[in-house]
Amino acid sequence: MSTTTTTTISKSNVGVYTNPAHELWIAESKPTLEEVKNGEGLTDGQVTIAIKSTGICGSDVHFWHAGRIGPMIVEDTHILGHESAGVILAVHPSVKTLKPGDRVAIEPNIICGKCEPCLTGRYNGCEEVEFLSTPPYHGLLRRYVNHPAVWCHKIGDMSYENGSMLEPLSVALAGMERSGVKLGDPVLICGAGPIGLVTLLCCNAAGAEPMVITDIDEGRLKFAKELVPRARLYKVERGVTPEQAAQDIIKLGGNVKPSVALECTGVESSIASAIWSVKFGGKVFVIGVGKSEMSIPFMRLSTQEVDLQFQYRYSNTWPRAIRLVESGVIDLKRLVTHRYDIEDAVKAFGTAADPKTGAIKVQIQSEVDI
C-alpha cells in the first residue's frame, strides 16, 4: 500500500487533450479521483503528484495546431504539457527519497537506463525514452499524475510557478553547457521567445558581452531589453537576406563577430543568418526545432570552419537549475505574462498561440484542495 497526505481531495482528475483533428478540450483523466484518494495504482518507484502549475510550451501549441513535430505525430487523443511542478500526495512503499507534502518539479522523461546514452549519462538520447507530452505518451496537463520518484526534484519553498519554469531553464542550461559560452564571449541569440529569453538570462549571468538578440516581433524585443537592459536588439525585417542581416548584427555588436550563436527559433533563414554572423572558427548552436529538411550556407560553414551543433532536450540539469533560481542568479518570474485555471485551459492555449496577446509564458494552474 502507498501513503497519502489526505482523504479530503474532492476534485476529479482532468486533462487537456488534443487529437489528429486539431481539437482542444478538457476531459476526465487518469489516475481517477478514487485512485488518488486511496493511494492506489502506484507501481514500484512511483509517486502521485498534485500538479499545481504548468507552463504552455511552443511544442504544445505545435502538437495542437500542426499535429506533429518531425516524426512525432499525434495519432490519437493526447494530453499535452511537460513543464510542471506540484506537491506529492502519495508514495509507493519502495520510495524512500520523497514523502507526502514535498514540493517537486517534474522532469518529464522516463528512460530505460540500459542503452548507451543512458549508461554514459546522456539520457536525453535514450533509445526507449517516454517523454511526457510527446506522442504517444500523455503529458502533465492534469490535476493528478503518477510519475517515477527519481524524476521528481525537490524545490523546497520555491513557488510552483518557478518550479514549472525549471524545464525551459533546463533547455537553456543544456545549450549553455554544450555551446561553451564563457565570460566575455560575444554572443548572438536568435529568437526572443521563452527559450530565447531564458537563454538571454543565462548568457547575462555568464557574463557574455556583447549580447545581440533577434526577433521579428518588436514587442518581444522590448521585453528582452526590460529583462536584460544591456542586451542589443535586432529586429528581423522581411526581405532582408541572411547575409545582410549578419552584417547588421555584427555592426550592432560593435563590429565584433559573435563567437557563439545560440539559435532558438529553428527557422531556416535565422539559422542562415547565424551562420553568416559568427567569426572564423565560431559555433552556431541550434536549440530551436524546425522543419525536417532545410538549406544552409554549406560553403560558409566550410570556409570559415564554423561548427554547426544541435541540441535535443537536456540531461542532468535540474539540480543546477534549482540552485540558480533559489539563489536569485536567474529570475524566471518576470517571464510569466498570463495565468489561467485549468478549467480555462482552452482559453490559455488561445492566448499562448496568438502573437497579438503579447504572451511570453502562459501558466495553467490547478488549485486542488489539499
Side-chain angles (χ1 to χ4, degrees):
M1 291 294 293
S2 56
T3 307
T4 59
T5 57
T6 177
T7 57
T8 61
I9 299 169
S10 61
K11 292 185 178 181
S12 63
N13 197 7
V14 295
V16 181
Y17 291 82
T18 190
N19 62 14
H22 312 296
E23 297 170 309
L24 190 71
W25 74 98
I26 301 163
E28 289 192 5
S29 181
K30 293 183 177 181
T32 67
L33 175 60
E34 288 305 311
E35 287 172 334
V36 173
K37 288 175 68 174
N38 298 325
E40 298 174 351
L42 291 176
T43 59
D44 190 63
Q46 279 192 329
V47 297
T48 300
I49 310 125
I51 303 296
K52 303 287 281 184
S53 197
T54 300
I56 297 177
C57 177
S59 66
D60 294 317
V61 175
H62 210 73
F63 279 130
W64 166 36
H65 279 176
R68 67 183 299 164
I69 297 177
M72 298 166 282
I73 304 170
V74 177
E75 296 179 331
D76 203 343
T77 55
H78 180 63
I79 299 175
L80 299 164
H82 58 265
E83 303 177 5
S84 298
V87 59
I88 301 294
L89 293 180
V91 300
H92 188 273
S94 60
V95 175
K96 307 301 180 185
T97 56
L98 293 171
K99 64 182 184 304
D102 283 342
R103 300 158 66 96
V104 296
I106 302 169
E107 189 169 349
N109 46 221
I110 302 171
I111 64 172
C112 74
K114 300 175 183 178
C115 65
E116 181 179 350
C118 286
L119 294 175
T120 56
R122 298 182 66 181
Y123 58 80
N124 53 314
C126 173
E127 296 166 5
E128 299 179 20
V129 67
E130 299 177 16
F131 193 89
L132 307 193
S133 83
T134 295
Y137 307 108
H138 284 318
L140 295 171
L141 260 173
R142 293 177 260 177
R143 279 208 180 96
Y144 315 112
V145 172
N146 294 338
H147 197 60
V150 69
W151 303 117
C152 297
H153 302 275
K154 292 182 183 179
I155 58 172
D157 60 359
M158 182 187 299
S159 71
Y160 293 116
E161 194 166 87
N162 272 350
S164 73
M165 293 286 287
L166 295 174
E167 199 278 343
L169 176 55
S170 284
V171 174
L173 289 179
M176 293 292 290
E177 181 174 3
R178 292 188 57 233
S179 67
V181 173
K182 303 183 298 297
L183 184 70
D185 275 352
V187 300
L188 167 65
I189 300 163
C190 301
I195 296 300
L197 291 170
V198 177
T199 300
L200 176 65
L201 287 173
C202 290
C203 287
N204 184 52
E209 176 60 29
M211 298 181 296
V212 177
I213 186 167
T214 71
D215 205 274
I216 60 173
D217 186 276
E218 192 77 47
R220 288 199 163 187
L221 289 174
K222 181 181 177 182
F223 191 96
K225 189 71 171 179
E226 293 171 354
L227 196 66
V228 179
R230 66 185 182 90
R232 306 183 190 196
L233 314 180
Y234 179 73
K235 186 175 186 295
V236 180
E237 302 287 355
R238 294 186 184 278
V240 175
T241 66
E243 295 96 322
Q244 182 59 55
Q247 291 176 20
D248 295 341
I249 287 165
I250 293 165
K251 185 177 180 180
L252 186 60
N255 292 316
V256 177
K257 293 181 179 180
S259 59
V260 180
L262 295 149
E263 212 298 315
C264 301
T265 73
V267 175
E268 183 176 307
S269 59
S270 182
I271 295 171
S273 295
I275 292 169
W276 284 100
S277 296
V278 296
K279 70 178 185 179
F280 183 91
K283 178 182 288 188
V284 174
F285 190 86
V286 183
I287 299 173
V289 296
K291 59 186 182 180
S292 296
E293 297 183 9
M294 61 178 69
S295 298
I296 58 172
F298 175 84
M299 285 309 298
R300 174 69 181 183
L301 289 166
S302 176
T303 60
Q304 295 296 300
E305 291 192 359
V306 172
D307 292 336
L308 180 60
Q309 196 171 354
F310 297 85
Q311 174 176 331
Y312 187 58
R313 297 173 180 157
Y314 37 68
S315 60
N316 306 301
T317 51
W318 252 258
R320 183 182 304 181
I322 290 168
R323 292 194 299 270
L324 289 169
V325 174
E326 282 182 334
S327 65
V329 173
I330 300 292
D331 181 6
L332 297 172
K333 59 181 177 291
R334 290 182 291 171
L335 296 173
V336 180
T337 54
H338 297 76
R339 298 169 178 84
Y340 292 87
D341 192 81
I342 193 167
E343 284 88 355
D344 296 319
V346 173
K347 188 182 297 183
F349 268 80
T351 298
D354 184 359
K356 295 178 182 178
T357 65
I360 300 296
K361 180 57 69 174
V362 177
Q363 287 279 337
I364 295 177
Q365 301 169 335
S366 179
E367 296 301 324
V368 293
D369 49 346
I370 58 173

